[in-house]
């Protein structure tokens, strides 16, 4: 039984370390992307972001859900601020 407990403890330590490293790498990458975005925005004027109009009224809800998922992913990646996310969400939902 002690060998099993030692194996479980070792696995927990390795998983915890991997999670911590992964989170740190993710934060560093997000910071780098933010710097690149800032440099690009400073170099070129920002164009207003608009969602494409839905093609079919039957697919309207599906399109809205897909657009909201994309916005959520962009926000999670740090590409959108909370204010930009809220503005785009209001635009999509009407």
């Amino acid at each position: 039984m002690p060998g099993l407990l030692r194996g479980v403890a070792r696995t927990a330590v390795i998983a915890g370390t991997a999670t911590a490293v992964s989170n740190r790498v993710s934060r560093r990458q997000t910071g780098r992307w933010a710097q690149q975005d800032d440099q690009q925005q400073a170099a070129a004027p920002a164009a207003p972001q608009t969602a494409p109009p839905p093609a079919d009224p039957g697919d309207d809800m599906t399109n809205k859900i897909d657009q909201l998922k994309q916005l959520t992913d962009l926000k999670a990646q740090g590409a959108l601020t909370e204010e930009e996310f809220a503005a785009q969400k209001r635009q999509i939902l009407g």
Side-chain angles (χ1 to χ4, degrees):
M1 196 60 147
L4 178 63
L5 186 58
R6 188 177 311 129
V8 170
R10 182 180 298 141
T11 301
V13 168
I14 291 170
T17 302
T19 301
V21 170
S22 174
N23 289 340
R24 182 164 186 249
V25 169
S26 177
R27 283 192 302 271
R28 286 177 52 197
Q29 187 65 35
T30 301
R32 288 180 183 163
W33 288 341
Q35 286 177 348
Q36 289 175 354
D37 288 344
D38 290 343
Q39 290 172 354
Q40 289 175 355
Q41 288 177 357
Q49 297 178 351
T50 58
D56 182 16
D59 289 335
D60 187 39
M61 185 56 77
T62 304
N63 289 336
K64 287 182 180 182
I65 291 171
D66 290 341
Q67 289 174 352
L68 288 172
K69 285 180 183 178
Q70 290 174 351
L71 281 177
T72 304
D73 290 341
L74 288 173
K75 182 182 167 206
Q77 294 171 1
L80 290 177
T81 64
E82 185 67 37
E83 294 81 22
E84 292 170 330
F85 175 78
Q88 290 295 321
K89 182 178 164 184
R90 279 192 302 271
Q91 183 179 3
I92 290 171
L93 296 177

